[in-house]
């Protein structure tokens, strides 16, 4: 087997493992909001995979993860708009983290960009699709607009998710940085 096809096979195998790990970690919820959205580290394996392999493979892994999220955790999708927005699009955009894989700190930049992209999708879907479910009060504040409610609701778990991912990335980066950055793959590409 030549080096190029070996790398493609390795990317697919690692992608399957990282997506499975992300799905499994997603079941370990630290906190769950009543209408969906939870605090987990499920995005972390996707971000690590994106930092390691780049945009194309990262997008593929993110899309597969989004389908698994919908099929296995889509209890809150009450219509096609929510299925597409809150699951397929929201989890697929995590793959934009792969755009930064050539940067030494691409894992951190990608984690922030991917998390913000996912938040923006949830924010728009929350303010449009879920607007009719806006309570009169949330976090002790009177809700007057679905845009503000969506920012609070989705920001409450997405910000914590992002910060948790960044904290674990910081812990893993020193001992595993060369693997996260894909430096072991560079040696194989050179052969």
């Amino acid at each position: 087997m030549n080096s190029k096809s070996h790398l493609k096979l390795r990317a697919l195998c690692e992608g399957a493992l990282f997506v499975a790990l992300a799905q499994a970690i997603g079941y370990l919820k630290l906190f769950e909001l009543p209408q969906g959205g939870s605090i987990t580290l499920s995005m972390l394996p996707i971000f690590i995979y994106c930092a390691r392999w780049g945009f194309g493979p990262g997008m593929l892994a993110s899309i597969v993860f989004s389908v698994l999220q919908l099929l296995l955790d889509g209890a809150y999708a009450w219509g096609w708009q929510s299925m597409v927005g809150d699951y397929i699009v929201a989890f697929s955009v995590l793959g934009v983290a792969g755009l930064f894989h050539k940067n030494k700190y691409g894992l951190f930049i990608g984690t922030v960009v991917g998390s913000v992209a996912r938040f923006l999708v949830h924010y728009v879907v929350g303010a449009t699709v879920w607007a009719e479910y806006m309570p009169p009060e949330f976090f002790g504040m009177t809700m007057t607009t679905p845009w503000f409610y969506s920012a609070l609701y989705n920001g409450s778990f997405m910000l914590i998710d992002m910060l948790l991912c960044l904290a674990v990335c910081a812990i893993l980066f020193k001992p595993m940085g060369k693997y996260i950055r894909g430096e072991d793959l560079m040696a194989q590409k050179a052969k």
Side-chain angles (χ1 to χ4, degrees):
M1 183 182 286
N2 67 33
S3 181
K4 189 173 183 174
S5 59
H6 176 77
L7 277 174
K8 285 182 182 181
L9 179 61
R10 184 169 175 171
L12 285 171
C13 291
E14 282 187 24
L17 290 171
F18 277 83
V19 168
L21 182 60
Q23 187 65 37
I25 289 173
Y27 294 123
L28 305 173
K29 297 176 181 174
L30 303 173
F31 181 78
E32 188 169 13
L33 291 166
Q35 294 176 336
S38 56
I39 297 171
T40 72
L41 283 169
S42 65
M43 297 186 299
L44 182 64
I46 301 299
F47 291 142
I48 291 173
Y49 183 77
C50 288
R52 185 166 165 74
W53 287 97
F55 180 71
M59 282 304 297
L60 180 60
S62 298
I63 290 167
V64 171
F65 182 52
S66 75
V67 172
L68 287 176
Q69 284 291 293
L70 175 63
L71 296 175
L72 302 176
D73 200 35
Y76 298 102
W78 292 345
W80 69 269
Q81 301 96 329
S82 177
M83 288 180 196
V84 171
D86 279 329
Y87 290 93
I88 301 300
V89 177
F91 287 95
S92 291
V93 298
L94 297 177
V96 301
L99 291 171
F100 307 95
H101 85 285
K102 291 186 179 179
N103 186 303
K104 181 178 179 180
Y105 299 104
L107 175 61
F108 300 99
I109 298 166
T111 296
V112 171
V113 171
S115 296
V116 169
R118 181 178 162 202
F119 164 76
L120 290 173
V121 173
H122 285 308
Y123 172 63
V124 171
V125 172
T128 55
V129 175
W130 294 98
E132 64 185 280
Y133 299 101
M134 180 180 77
E137 191 174 279
F138 188 68
F139 285 150
M141 293 181 269
T142 302
M143 295 294 108
T144 57
T145 172
W147 293 98
F148 182 64
Y149 168 64
S150 183
L152 283 177
Y153 189 94
N154 293 298
S156 68
F157 69 90
M158 282 303 306
L159 179 62
I160 297 170
D161 271 6
M162 181 183 72
L163 293 175
L164 281 173
C165 284
L166 287 170
V168 174
C169 288
I171 292 167
L172 294 175
F173 199 70
K174 185 166 180 143
M176 299 184 69
K178 71 179 185 177
Y179 300 107
I180 291 170
R181 289 187 300 271
E183 291 173 10
D184 60 319
L185 301 172
M186 300 302 171
Q188 256 187 340
K189 286 180 184 177
K191 288 181 182 179

